[in-house]
Amino acid sequence: MDIHRCRFVPYPASTINALAFSHTSTGREAAKSPPNLRLAIGRANGNIEIWNPQRGHWVQESILSGGKDRSIEGLVWTHDLEGQEGDETKTEVAGMLRLFSIGYSTVITEWDLALGQPSRHSGGNYGEIWCITAQPRWQAPVQSAPSSTKPNDDPISEQHLAVGCADGTVVLHSTADGDLRFLRTLARPSGKKSRVLCIAFLGRGKIVAGYADSTIRVFNMPNGRQLSSMSLGAGQPNGPSEILVWSIKCLSDGIIVSGDSTGEIRFWDGQNYTLLQRIKSHKQDILDLAVSADGLTVFSGGMDRRTTMYRRTGDGDKGRRSRWAEISHQRYHSHDIKTMATFESIDLSVVVSGGVDAAPIIIPLREFGKEYTRSLPMFPSCPPVQSAPRKRLLTSWWDREIFIWRIGGIWGDSQTNGPAPDQRQVRKLVAKIALQGEENIVSVSMSPNGNLVAVSTISSIKIFHLRASKSSAKASLKLRKVEAPANLTGHGSKLLQFSPDSKWLLVIRCNSSIYLHRIDRISDLHGKLRILEHGVELLRLPRSPNKYSKVQYGSLGEYERSITRAAWSSDSRIVVLSDLQGHLDSWVLEGYEDLTHSADYVVNGQQLIPESTINGDDEESDEELDEEVRPVVILGQHWIRNPRAASLPRVPSFPLVMSFRPAKQASPIALINGPTTVHPTRHNPNPHSHDLPIREDRLFVLTSLHKAYEYQIFAGKLSDWSRRNPPSTLPEEFRAIRDRAKDCVWDVSDGKERVWVYGSSFLWMFDLARDLPAVVQKLPEVQSHPDEDTQQISRSAKKRKRKHTQEKNNSLKQGTSGAGSKIPEKELNTGVGSQIRKISGLERGEGQWISLQTMHTHARATDDDANEDDDSPEDTTGDLSALVRLRRADSGNLNVQDDHPNDDGKRDKRDVDNGEAVARRPTDSEPPYWHTFKYRPILGIVLLSDESSVEDDSLMGGDEVHESQRNIEVALVERPLWDLDLPPRYHGDQEWDK
């Protein structure tokens, strides 16, 4: 595979302004994370990213697109009350999880996660909103009688929203009854109307607000009376006279913590409103704070890029006499830290921070200092790059702009006998599209032949036709907007994708409804492209959203049924879609294309013919027929649901990568009597064929937990390769990667069957023509010669040592708190080990090593095992099972890898023969996989040429294809942080750019 490293593709970084978890911390060591826990990240470009922590794997599920000048400055979640449905059963129904945002306006916006767009707004006659907070959810008493007051009986049991405005106003909004409406104004200070910069709830009845006039005010929410005003004093010498209170947090015991523009963190008594302690820990403004659930740990981040941790010391009564101490400070970010958020449970205990450098940082909270931090990718999980391999075009997009480049080939331009390699132009910007309006781009798709580009926002779809200029083949492309039917362009879309033959456009609307539109060429002198008026609607199998074991977890509604990925087969006759629940829906294109069919007849919608009418059965009425038996026939073809769609097993976690294995290039099968033709009859004047495609139907799926499966779509089951290679056989190095995969490209040239999977920091190749090596730990020992006993003893000792080292390294990546791997003991520099040896009796050899951290590790490991889905496809979680070995033996490809390496570092492969393990060397020197981490961060990888284009070019030119030209060419787009255009940052003493 030939790689073009591209760093010229523009993709600016967008600042992270807001972070919010959907649930509050449990605060109890025995409580697990809710299965529907989500993290919302608000950016300056108006987009909101929804992340799933997924037991520390951190997967970006979706992006709620914003628009121009719609920066997200604050995010909060609320949880509606549980209800009851049914007259007799009175079944409890989980309350909805709702997301709200603000952004330099007088409006609060509620987002519909399923549609990916705003659902309602609420504004008023007050200043711009600068901050927002949600009232803590009503909690039932721990020890309560069955007749105790329920949430529905509490007059203030719903969660209110409190916002602070630029004119000093504090406003309350109600979220009761699933609505969002203005409630009342709490306070409107007189005088200079200083801005409210931060706001927080103290319990459920008090509101604490930080102002830009060196004061913190406390309000009583029921009556709106101001309870206290705490002054921070004068500003620093030779600086502003007033101190800006940028952040306020309230601890569980009532202590108020504030961070201000002087770089000081202050602790206030929440009862008598007096200052308890102040710590000067930052050289510049403290922009945000984060606190633990137990109130013993506080984090601060600011403009000096420092992340500082404080802990309570002393044995005081609820902190009244205790003191706070600065424990540590580090620079995890390369720019200002603007926002922080925390979440704690038995299996997840992290602090998430974000700022101008656009990359979220995950910091361990409970295991701070014992685990590494990690950085999440700053780029979308769906690569914002695509290509047209036949014309070597590369397209990229961001916000409201689209760029189209032509990439020069290694051997010149294959289309026009281009110049020599030393004279060719490496790249050229051939087109640029700037969308009118304020909405950001949601999805872009370029047809593989390079003729069409489809662009969608949340409200409309636009399609452009690309044509080469007549002056020169290397000149810029001309753009012409394609006239499309209103039922296509008048609706927004979350996903667009052209078929490989460029004849179909797949449209996934915001409500996850599915439509296919046929693209045809008008037979006139200009040969213009057109899109047929009536699209084909595809219906998914009816499935209900997830129902969790506890209604207290809340519900995300139809969000988990949102479609996220789509895949076309290489012959464009199979399309598969997946959702966040892991369900796969597939459809097949029946019949053969017949251009003699009148397209106008189909466009007018007259092809809605019941199958019973086609078969000559008129007994059943049209009203009783299901919509599935009313196919829309277009040019002799129509789409039906895959007959085995219901048999496809559900994927344990939603797919990140989904792609059909490309069909090997072969000449089409010639029919003896020519193309299949169905003759018209009196009852069916426009017949069509019902033949199904017979080419490749194997679908490769890689889930968010990095488990690989391959399905046979027409059989409705796992393929033979997937049955011989369950997810447990994937290399340990691949399963240990913390960054998630984005997409894949295939290399089927010269008979290869390789898939290249990539993420933001890795590139991994799997050869699907061979089985992956599997580890068997328990095999009968190999009989050795008596003269080799001494050597066998020495090798066994070395193997045990290597095995212990390998298990120790693997254990560092298991049982973590949701951030990075565990720090090895030799790097902790604590001077105290993490294990003790317990000896019972007089025999020293009977001692047992006990870890001091087994409590949390064992609990998290138990939780990981409990969260595994029972309905997952076939897998072996440990050693290679006997069933898999039998399958490999039947296929003649039994390669079992021993878990003990040889003295030279290589591993033996063993065959099982009559219950004995016979060691042998591998016959093939190349492993079935390869990987590298030299490319980072990767924005996307797209094909520039494939085997089909090489073969077509060689046939047209008549020249012999060079051996190196048989490899596929790809463009690998990188966007390193140092190439991003960031604003100036703070430089302190002895700080400089490397």
Side-chain angles (χ1 to χ4, degrees):
M1 184 173 71
D2 299 324
I3 298 178
H4 297 256
R5 299 184 69 174
C6 305
R7 292 186 177 178
F8 56 84
V9 177
Y11 194 88
S14 183
T15 302
I16 298 177
N17 292 332
L19 294 168
F21 280 98
S22 60
H23 296 72
T24 57
S25 299
T26 58
R28 294 171 293 173
E29 291 295 331
K32 301 178 183 179
S33 298
N36 54 351
L37 175 67
R38 298 295 186 271
L39 171 67
I41 300 179
R43 296 188 179 268
N45 61 356
N47 292 347
I48 300 177
E49 302 174 1
I50 305 299
W51 288 75
N52 186 352
Q54 206 171 29
R55 305 193 300 275
H57 294 294
W58 295 99
V59 184
Q60 184 189 104
E61 290 185 341
S62 62
I63 297 179
L64 312 180
S65 297
K68 182 181 179 181
D69 299 330
R70 300 179 187 175
S71 175
I72 304 298
E73 297 298 325
L75 290 171
V76 292
W77 293 80
T78 62
H79 186 178
D80 287 346
L81 300 175
E82 295 82 5
Q84 294 181 349
E85 64 179 5
D87 298 334
E88 298 180 357
T89 58
K90 297 295 183 180
T91 304
E92 278 194 300
V93 180
M96 289 294 299
L97 295 170
R98 303 165 64 185
L99 176 63
F100 302 88
S101 69
I102 59 172
Y104 289 143
S105 66
T106 61
V107 175
I108 302 176
T109 301
E110 181 179 358
W111 292 85
D112 190 325
L113 299 182
L115 298 179
Q117 58 189 9
S119 60
R120 58 177 58 92
H121 304 275
S122 178
N125 187 17
Y126 40 79
E128 295 180 351
I129 299 176
W130 274 68
C131 52
I132 185 172
T133 186
Q135 187 180 20
R137 194 166 184 262
W138 187 89
Q139 297 286 342
V142 178
Q143 296 179 356
S144 59
S147 59
S148 62
T149 303
K150 297 183 179 180
N152 293 333
D153 301 331
D154 188 356
I156 57 170
S157 58
E158 68 272 6
Q159 288 183 273
H160 294 322
L161 299 180
V163 296
C165 305
D167 58 357
T169 305
V170 177
V171 182
L172 280 181
H173 286 75
S174 175
T175 63
D177 301 327
D179 198 3
L180 176 63
R181 62 182 184 273
F182 170 81
L183 193 60
R184 65 178 181 273
T185 300
L186 276 186
R188 191 185 299 271
S190 59
K192 54 185 176 180
K193 297 182 180 180
S194 180
R195 299 188 307 271
V196 182
L197 300 179
C198 55
I199 193 168
F201 271 92
L202 180 60
R204 283 182 53 88
K206 299 179 182 179
I207 295 178
V208 185
Y211 287 75
D213 58 354
S214 305
T215 58
I216 299 175
R217 296 180 174 90
V218 183
F219 301 94
N220 188 0
M221 191 190 69
N223 54 26
R225 184 171 59 90
Q226 180 176 327
L227 299 179
S228 177
S229 178
M230 299 175 286
S231 176
L232 278 70
Q236 295 179 347
N238 301 325
S241 59
E242 295 181 345
I243 299 176
L244 307 180
V245 184
W246 287 116
S247 180
I248 282 182
K249 290 292 186 295
C250 298
L251 304 183
S252 56
D253 57 357
I255 292 181
I256 303 173
V257 187
S258 66
D260 52 53
S261 58
T262 63
E264 290 186 351
I265 182 172
R266 310 189 186 210
F267 299 88
W268 307 81
D269 193 322
Q271 292 184 352
N272 52 24
Y273 311 113
T274 57
L275 180 64
L276 297 177
Q277 187 180 354
R278 54 194 292 184
I279 301 176
K280 176 69 174 180
S281 55
H282 290 261
K283 298 181 180 180
Q284 285 293 319
D285 299 35
I286 296 178
L287 299 182
D288 203 5
L289 300 171
V291 299
S292 61
D294 56 7
L296 300 179
T297 306
V298 177
F299 285 84
S300 64
M303 293 178 59
D304 57 356
R305 313 194 311 275
R306 281 187 176 185
T307 300
T308 307
M309 188 188 74
Y310 316 85
R311 279 192 178 160
R312 182 181 297 178
T313 60
D315 299 327
D317 183 14
K318 295 185 179 180
R320 297 297 187 269
R321 300 178 182 177
S322 60
R323 304 288 293 175
W324 291 83
E326 177 183 347
I327 302 300
S328 171
H329 68 267
Q330 297 186 32
R331 288 187 174 90
Y332 303 115
H333 291 265
S334 60
H335 219 289
D336 300 0
I337 304 173
K338 300 192 67 174
T339 179
M340 306 179 78
T342 61
F343 183 82
E344 290 183 85
S345 65
I346 185 64
D347 56 344
L348 191 68
S349 178
V350 295
V351 179
V352 185
S353 60
V356 180
D357 56 4
I361 302 295
I362 310 298
I363 306 171
L365 199 159
R366 181 176 55 237
E367 302 296 330
F368 184 84
K370 301 177 183 179
E371 295 179 358
Y372 292 109
T373 61
R374 61 169 298 191
S375 175
L376 298 182
M378 69 180 73
F379 302 127
S381 59
C382 294
V385 290
Q386 284 195 9
S387 68
R390 293 301 180 92
K391 294 186 178 180
R392 303 184 65 84
L393 296 178
L394 169 65
T395 178
S396 65
W397 62 91
W398 57 276
D399 289 351
R400 294 166 299 282
E401 294 183 336
I402 303 173
F403 298 86
I404 302 177
W405 310 77
R406 177 177 282 116
I407 310 299
I410 299 178
W411 305 100
D413 195 334
S414 60
Q415 295 179 352
T416 60
N417 295 328
D422 56 345
Q423 298 178 356
R424 73 183 187 276
Q425 189 173 10
V426 178
R427 67 178 185 272
K428 180 180 178 60
L429 181 63
V430 295
K432 180 180 178 180
I433 304 174
L435 297 184
Q436 297 180 354
E438 298 182 351
E439 295 176 345
N440 289 345
I441 294 174
V442 178
S443 178
V444 173
S445 180
M446 173 179 281
S447 61
N449 58 13
N451 292 334
L452 294 174
V453 173
V455 187
S456 70
T457 63
I458 60 175
S459 63
S460 64
I461 298 175
K462 298 179 181 179
I463 302 176
F464 300 92
H465 185 199
L466 305 179
R467 295 183 299 169
S469 176
K470 296 181 180 179
S471 59
S472 173
K474 292 275 186 177
S476 300
L477 298 177
K478 291 185 177 181
L479 297 174
R480 183 182 64 85
K481 187 175 180 180
V482 178
E483 295 297 332
N487 58 4
L488 170 61
T489 60
H491 300 274
S493 171
K494 66 171 63 175
L495 179 62
L496 297 175
Q497 196 171 94
F498 283 101
S499 61
D501 60 3
S502 305
K503 295 181 180 180
W504 295 92
L505 174 60
L506 174 66
V507 179
I508 309 298
R509 292 185 181 176
C510 296
N511 59 356
S512 292
S513 58
I514 310 159
Y515 290 88
L516 283 170
H517 293 267
R518 183 66 158 83
I519 303 170
D520 193 15
R521 186 179 294 275
I522 302 176
S523 57
D524 58 6
L525 297 178
H526 301 285
K528 295 181 180 179
L529 296 175
R530 67 170 179 176
I531 299 177
L532 301 187
E533 181 179 354
H534 290 279
V536 181
E537 183 179 5
L538 305 181
L539 301 179
R540 293 192 288 173
L541 291 173
R543 299 183 179 100
S544 60
N546 286 330
K547 292 184 178 180
Y548 303 105
S549 57
K550 297 181 180 179
V551 295
Q552 291 80 6
Y553 291 152
S555 173
L556 293 173
E558 294 296 327
Y559 169 71
E560 294 179 335
R561 289 284 288 143
S562 300
I563 297 176
T564 56
R565 297 294 188 273
W568 284 90
S569 62
S570 57
D571 59 355
S572 304
R573 300 193 62 179
I574 309 175
V575 62
V576 179
L577 304 176
S578 65
D579 57 19
L580 292 177
Q581 283 185 329
H583 296 294
L584 301 178
D585 292 277
S586 55
W587 295 267
V588 185
L589 182 61
E590 276 191 343
Y592 300 95
E593 185 178 19
D594 187 0
L595 299 179
T596 61
H597 276 241
S598 174
D600 293 336
Y601 180 81
V602 176
V603 169
N604 292 332
Q606 300 180 15
Q607 283 288 354
L608 293 177
I609 303 175
E611 289 288 347
S612 59
T613 305
I614 295 176
N615 298 330
D617 184 9
D618 297 334
E619 296 179 357
E620 194 171 4
S621 63
D622 294 348
E623 290 77 12
E624 297 176 354
L625 293 174
D626 189 79
E627 191 172 357
E628 291 185 68
V629 298
R630 294 174 173 269
V632 178
V633 182
I634 299 179
L635 298 178
Q637 296 177 308
H638 71 278
W639 289 91
I640 65 169
R641 181 179 292 156
N642 177 22
R644 301 302 300 272
S647 301
L648 289 174
R650 175 186 173 185
V651 184
S653 53
F654 74 95
L656 290 177
V657 178
M658 195 168 62
S659 177
F660 276 92
R661 186 186 293 207
K664 297 180 180 178
Q665 297 296 328
S667 58
I669 300 176
L671 300 178
I672 299 177
N673 298 326
T676 304
T677 303
V678 181
H679 299 284
T681 63
R682 179 171 59 89
H683 296 285
N684 186 17
N686 292 277
H688 60 279
S689 173
H690 293 269
D691 293 340
L692 296 177
I694 57 176
R695 300 189 72 182
E696 187 63 67
D697 69 330
R698 287 179 291 179
L699 178 69
F700 177 79
V701 176
L702 184 65
T703 69
S704 59
L705 296 178
H706 274 191
K707 294 186 177 182
Y709 305 95
E710 190 180 49
Y711 296 95
Q712 288 181 276
I713 299 301
F714 289 148
K717 63 179 182 180
L718 296 174
S719 66
D720 293 338
W721 180 89
S722 188
R723 290 163 65 85
R724 297 193 310 268
N725 300 270
S728 60
T729 61
L730 291 175
E732 180 65 27
E733 298 89 342
F734 178 75
R735 289 185 290 173
I737 295 177
R738 296 192 177 273
D739 289 340
R740 300 293 92 180
K742 287 187 172 184
D743 206 345
C744 70
V745 293
W746 289 87
D747 182 7
V748 293
S749 59
D750 294 335
K752 296 190 290 288
E753 298 182 21
R754 296 177 177 177
V755 56
W756 294 79
V757 180
Y758 67 91
S760 61
S761 62
F762 65 90
L763 177 61
W764 205 286
M765 184 275 294
F766 294 99
D767 188 357
L768 301 189
R770 303 162 55 192
D771 288 338
L772 298 173
V775 178
V776 176
Q777 296 181 356
K778 296 181 180 181
L779 284 176
E781 296 183 358
V782 180
Q783 299 294 333
S784 60
H785 194 272
D787 297 337
E788 300 177 356
D789 290 343
T790 305
Q791 298 180 1
Q792 291 290 341
I793 295 174
S794 177
R795 291 179 180 178
S796 299
K798 294 181 179 179
K799 290 178 181 179
R800 287 194 298 268
K801 185 176 181 180
R802 292 192 184 100
K803 180 180 179 181
H804 176 71
T805 303
Q806 182 181 4
E807 292 178 352
K808 187 176 181 180
N809 293 333
N810 294 337
S811 64
L812 296 178
K813 299 181 179 180
Q814 299 175 356
T816 60
S817 62
S821 303
K822 298 178 183 178
I823 302 177
E825 295 181 7
K826 61 181 180 181
E827 298 181 11
L828 291 176
N829 298 324
T830 59
V832 180
S834 61
Q835 293 181 342
I836 59 175
R837 190 174 184 182
K838 180 180 179 180
I839 301 177
S840 300
L842 301 177
E843 296 294 335
R844 185 177 182 182
E846 297 179 358
Q848 180 183 4
W849 287 98
I850 301 176
S851 175
L852 299 177
Q853 302 175 357
T854 53
M855 181 182 300
H856 295 299
T857 303
H858 175 71
R860 287 192 293 270
T862 304
D863 179 65
D864 291 345
D865 297 337
N867 286 333
E868 293 292 338
D869 290 339
D870 297 332
D871 57 350
S872 61
E874 183 176 353
D875 186 12
T876 53
T877 57
D879 302 337
L880 191 66
S881 65
L883 181 59
V884 176
R885 293 201 301 270
L886 180 60
R887 291 169 180 167
R888 293 193 177 187
D890 294 339
S891 63
N893 191 12
L894 178 60
N895 291 330
V896 182
Q897 178 178 324
D898 186 16
D899 63 338
H900 301 303
N902 295 315
D903 295 336
D904 55 0
K906 298 181 179 179
R907 296 180 180 269
D908 285 339
K909 289 185 177 181
R910 296 189 175 189
D911 287 341
V912 179
D913 186 13
N914 296 328
E916 296 183 358
V918 182
R920 64 176 179 84
R921 291 290 184 182
T923 57
D924 193 351
S925 58
E926 296 182 359
Y929 56 84
W930 178 88
H931 68 280
T932 181
F933 296 95
K934 66 180 296 185
Y935 309 108
R936 61 175 63 188
I938 299 176
L939 183 64
I941 300 178
V942 293
L943 283 173
L944 293 179
S945 67
D946 52 14
E947 186 184 24
S948 59
S949 60
V950 171
E951 291 181 356
D952 294 342
D953 296 337
S954 63
L955 293 177
M956 293 175 58
D959 299 332
E960 183 179 356
V961 180
H962 194 274
E963 182 179 357
S964 301
Q965 199 173 356
R966 294 184 181 276
N967 295 329
I968 63 171
E969 292 182 51
V970 298
L972 190 150
V973 183
E974 294 177 291
R975 290 299 294 164
L977 183 61
W978 57 82
D979 282 353
L980 301 179
D981 187 14
L982 299 178
R985 69 182 187 185
Y986 168 78
H987 290 274
D989 298 335
Q990 298 182 353
E991 295 181 16
W992 54 84
D993 292 329
K994 296 183 180 179

